[in-house]
């Protein structure tokens, strides 16, 4: 009877369902707490049954990261390279905000999936067609990815997400710690930013546009 119940509970499993549930768990609890046993419990299945769909946790992580890459918009064709890479970078930042556990895994996988490889090919094609040499396209790709991942990592650790939350923290937490006679510039900055309705989310596109503008003169260079 126990075996029959186990077979019945495992009958609805598939690789896709296992991967989707693993992503849900990682989104809620982080990837460090993800185990095959924990995942099996969330699926209502036996832990060993998961190995029919993914051979190991590393294979599961590869599949999860492939889904993350699939969610990122590819740089569109038919537009200038800066617009295309801007859209791709903004999309990547939004996706990583939904899946912050993935930030440290995006570049660590040695068995990339099909979506991962399509993404890499599309980014490289966009830069090469724009006139960047192979080496310079590699430099540009590295620089853009470092900016996106670094910003996503910092944003994930901030104690505020919106302009309203920043304003509340600045007034209630930061400003009381910054007496004007001791920290005149920090006090001034906090007060001015709150009054201006400063939104920390705007920083991403500000920095991204600087990076793209700095890369533009390097097209066609060796």
């Amino acid at each position: 009877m126990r075996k029959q119940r186990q077979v019945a509970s495992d009958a609805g499993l598939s690789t896709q369902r296992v991967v989707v549930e693993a992503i849900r768990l990682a989104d809620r609890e982080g990837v460090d707490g993800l185990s095959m046993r924990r995942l099996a419990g969330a699926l209502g299945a036996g832990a060993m049954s998961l190995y029919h769909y993914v051979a190991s946790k590393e294979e599961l992580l590869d599949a999860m990261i492939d889904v993350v890459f699939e969610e990122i918009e590819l740089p569109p064709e038919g537009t200038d390279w800066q617009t295309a890479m801007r859209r791709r970078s903004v999309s990547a930042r939004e996706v990583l905000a939904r899946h912050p556990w993935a930030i440290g895994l995006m570049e660590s996988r040695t068995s990339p999936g099909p979506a991962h490889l399509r993404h890499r090919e599309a980014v490289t094609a966009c830069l090469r067609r724009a006139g960047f040499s192979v080496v310079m396209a590699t430099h540009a790709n590295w620089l853009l990815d470092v900016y996106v991942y670094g910003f996503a990592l910092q944003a994930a650790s901030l104690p505020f997400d919106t302009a309203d939350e920043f304003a509340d923290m600045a007034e209630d937490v930061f400003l009381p710690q910054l007496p004007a006679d001791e920290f005149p510039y920090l006090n001034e900055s906090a007060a001015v930013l709150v009054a201006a309705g400063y939104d920390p989310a705007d920083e991403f596109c500000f920095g991204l546009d600087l990076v793209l503008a700095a890369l533009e003169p390097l097209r066609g260079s060796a």
Side-chain angles (χ1 to χ4, degrees), residues 71-138:
E71 292 181 14
I72 300 173
E73 179 182 358
L74 299 179
E77 298 182 17
T79 186
D80 65 277
W81 80 272
Q82 288 197 39
T83 299
M85 291 305 296
R86 192 179 197 274
R87 284 177 57 177
R88 173 264 181 181
S89 298
V90 169
S91 176
R93 181 225 171 180
E94 292 171 348
V95 170
L96 291 173
R98 295 196 299 269
H99 309 300
W101 55 269
I103 298 170
L105 297 174
M106 297 291 279
E107 300 299 322
S108 69
R109 311 321 299 163
T110 57
S111 299
H116 187 164
L117 292 175
R118 283 195 299 271
H119 182 92
R120 298 294 185 194
E121 176 69 13
V123 167
T124 303
C126 177
L127 294 171
R128 292 287 288 120
R129 290 168 182 160
F132 290 95
S133 68
V134 170
V135 172
M136 202 57 67
T138 303

Side-chain angles (χ1 to χ4, degrees), residues 106-184:
M106 297 291 279
E107 300 299 322
S108 69
R109 311 321 299 163
T110 57
S111 299
H116 187 164
L117 292 175
R118 283 195 299 271
H119 182 92
R120 298 294 185 194
E121 176 69 13
V123 167
T124 303
C126 177
L127 294 171
R128 292 287 288 120
R129 290 168 182 160
F132 290 95
S133 68
V134 170
V135 172
M136 202 57 67
T138 303
H139 290 330
N141 196 352
W142 269 86
L143 180 58
L144 286 164
D145 281 354
V146 166
Y147 178 74
V148 171
Y149 297 151
F151 191 97
L153 183 63
Q154 183 180 44
S157 66
L158 290 175
F160 47 79
D161 293 318
T162 66
D164 289 341
E165 290 178 1
F166 170 79
D168 290 342
M169 289 208 70
E171 292 177 333
D172 299 338
V173 179
F174 300 148
L175 277 171
Q177 301 178 65
L178 302 172
D181 59 338
E182 189 175 359
F183 304 104

Side-chain angles (χ1 to χ4, degrees), residues 37-55:
R37 185 176 297 278
R38 176 75 179 85
L39 178 57
L43 289 164
M48 295 306 297
S49 66
L50 299 188
Y51 291 98
H52 293 294
Y53 306 96
V54 288

